[in-house]
């Protein structure tokens, strides 16, 4: 039974890695220019000091966390059956 759990975990990691790779490729190829609000949602922290600007996209991180949690739960339910 332990081998079955390890096998499923390996499949899940491969699927998650593939999804993250595709999302990263889409963002790298220009999806981020079509979504200018990504990373600059209300609630994000912007610090400007002279010529330096630092962004803390708190709300974007929360939304990404929620999306990844939902995706992982769906994958977990799929492999649990």
């Amino acid at each position: 039974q332990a081998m079955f759990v390890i096998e499923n975990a390996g499949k899940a990691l491969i699927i998650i890695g593939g999804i993250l790779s595709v999302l990263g490729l889409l963002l790298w190829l220009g999806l981020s220019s079509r979504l200018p609000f990504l990373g600059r949602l209300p609630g994000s922290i912007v610090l400007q000091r002279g010529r330096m600007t630092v962004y803390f996209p708190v709300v974007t991180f929360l939304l990404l966390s929620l999306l990844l949690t939902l995706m992982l739960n769906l994958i977990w339910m799929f492999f649990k059956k």
Side-chain angles (χ1 to χ4, degrees), residues 23-36:
L23 286 175
L25 183 64
L26 288 174
L27 287 173
W28 185 60
L29 290 176
L31 184 62
S32 61
S33 64
R34 294 187 183 126
L35 298 172

Side-chain angles (χ1 to χ4, degrees), residues 5-81:
V5 172
I6 292 172
E7 185 177 309
N8 283 342
K11 287 179 185 178
L13 286 174
I14 289 173
I15 290 172
I16 292 167
I19 291 170
L20 289 176
S21 296
V22 168
L23 286 175
L25 183 64
L26 288 174
L27 287 173
W28 185 60
L29 290 176
L31 184 62
S32 61
S33 64
R34 294 187 183 126
L35 298 172
F37 60 87
L38 193 63
R40 310 225 178 166
L41 294 171
S44 297
I45 299 169
V46 180
L47 298 175
Q48 293 179 330
R49 306 257 171 138
R51 297 184 317 177
M52 183 178 75
T53 304
V54 179
Y55 294 97
F56 294 104
V58 176
V59 178
T60 303
F61 287 152
L62 288 173
L63 289 175
L64 286 175
S65 175
L66 178 67
L67 180 68
L68 287 173
T69 300
L70 291 173
M71 284 177 27
L72 289 174
N73 281 326
L74 287 174
I75 291 171
W76 181 257
M77 285 179 7
F78 176 73
F79 282 113
K80 197 171 183 181
K81 288 184 178 183

